[in-house]
Amino acid sequence: QITLKESGPTLVKPTQTLTLTCTFSGFSLSTSGLGVGWIRQPPGKALEWLAIIYWNDDKRYSPSLKGRLTITKDTSKNQVVLTMTTMDPVDTATYYCAHRYCGGGSCSNYFDYWGQGTLVTVSS
Amino acid sequence: QSVLTQPPSVSGAPGQRVTISCTGSSSNFGAGNDVHWYQQLPGTAPKLLIHDNNHRPSGVPDRFSGSKSGTSASLAITGLQAEDEADYYCQSYDSSLSGYVFGTGTKVTVL
């Protein structure tokens, strides 16, 4: 059974750096093809993909946020960490981590399991 | 920002059929990348509804179906039920961005 859970601060001040941790179970990020991504959703708004890290440590970032984001993994701890610098009130959102589908010897670019999300508020 | 465009809202009476469009471009759908759909009930995380254009994960009712043609895709809900009232998002991979893209989201209201 695959589960993911996000953790981190609920409140950060403008200009600070946000660090979020996704702790997962039911799979290993050392398995070929797998990936864990981060997606956020401002209150009342649409989903926005942020970043993804793959089993081979390949990383991809949203072009609109590249430069502010860093994604890393700790395979031994089953964790993926997202860092976002220079936080602003517009970054207030629920942040989700999600599992990229791989199965039956193939992978596809969608997320089949999601964490419950964590709401991060940016305010002084 | 969203690369895939959806109507903000659609509505229908119980039992009716509704469709949600998702318009992409040559760098996502047009490049051969598949469309996937998620359902988000109020206050919950998104749930995978349709993957690879028209495949339903186990447990998803066959009232939900998807299709893709050219640079557009659509989700259809037949026999609309009260429990289908939710937000729906399309998603794909964008070859130019080398990343994932989501739609603007559509709120389905059951009248």
Side-chain angles (χ1 to χ4, degrees):
Chain A
Q1 180 189 3
I2 292 174
T3 64
L4 305 97
K5 187 172 184 179
E6 307 85 355
S7 59
T10 58
L11 178 67
V12 297
K13 290 181 167 49
T15 75
Q16 286 187 335
T17 295
L18 171 68
T19 299
L20 293 173
T21 300
C22 175
T23 303
F24 56 85
S25 63
F27 66 95
S28 171
L29 203 39
S30 61
T31 301
S32 180
L34 287 184
V36 171
W38 285 93
I39 300 101
R40 72 177 179 179
Q41 184 174 38
K45 297 188 177 181
L47 300 169
E48 179 186 17
W49 172 73
L50 301 177
I52 190 166
I53 188 165
Y54 294 100
W55 85 103
N56 58 357
D57 210 38
D58 188 20
K59 305 162 187 178
R60 294 287 183 263
Y61 297 100
S62 167
S64 63
L65 291 166
K66 193 172 182 179
R68 294 181 57 204
L69 297 175
T70 303
I71 190 169
T72 59
K73 64 181 174 70
D74 186 329
T75 304
S76 65
K77 292 183 179 179
N78 281 352
Q79 290 182 333
V80 170
V81 175
L82 181 74
T83 302
M84 181 181 294
T85 61
T86 323
M87 293 293 284
D88 182 272
V90 300
D91 297 313
T92 294
T94 296
Y95 288 76
Y96 297 98
C97 62
H99 170 273
R100 179 211 188 208
Y101 170 80
C102 276
S106 67
C107 301
S108 189
N109 290 320
Y110 63 87
F111 302 103
D112 56 347
Y113 292 92
W114 294 62
Q116 64 189 25
T118 184
L119 175 62
V120 178
T121 301
V122 185
S123 174
S124 54
Chain B
Q1 52 269 45
S2 302
V3 174
L4 306 178
T5 303
Q6 301 176 232
S9 64
V10 299
S11 61
Q16 284 190 329
R17 179 179 187 268
V18 297
T19 61
I20 301 170
S21 61
C22 175
T23 302
S25 67
S26 58
S27 61
N28 38 72
F29 297 155
N33 295 304
D34 293 328
V35 65
H36 319 287
W37 292 90
Y38 302 87
Q39 178 192 59
Q40 187 176 33
L41 297 170
T44 69
K47 167 194 164 187
L48 181 67
L49 192 66
I50 296 285
H51 66 87
D52 299 308
N53 303 324
N54 55 14
H55 293 85
R56 287 184 308 276
S58 174
V60 173
D62 59 6
R63 303 185 289 104
F64 295 93
S65 62
S67 63
K68 192 195 88 170
S69 179
T71 58
S72 293
S74 65
L75 173 72
I77 310 174
T78 57
L80 194 63
Q81 299 183 5
E83 65 203 53
D84 300 333
E85 196 161 277
D87 293 323
Y88 294 81
Y89 294 91
C90 57
Q91 178 254 310
S92 186
Y93 185 84
D94 194 283
S95 301
S96 293
L97 300 175
S98 294
Y100 297 70
V101 289
F102 283 92
T104 50
T106 299
K107 180 174 181 58
V108 170
T109 301
V110 181
L111 301 173

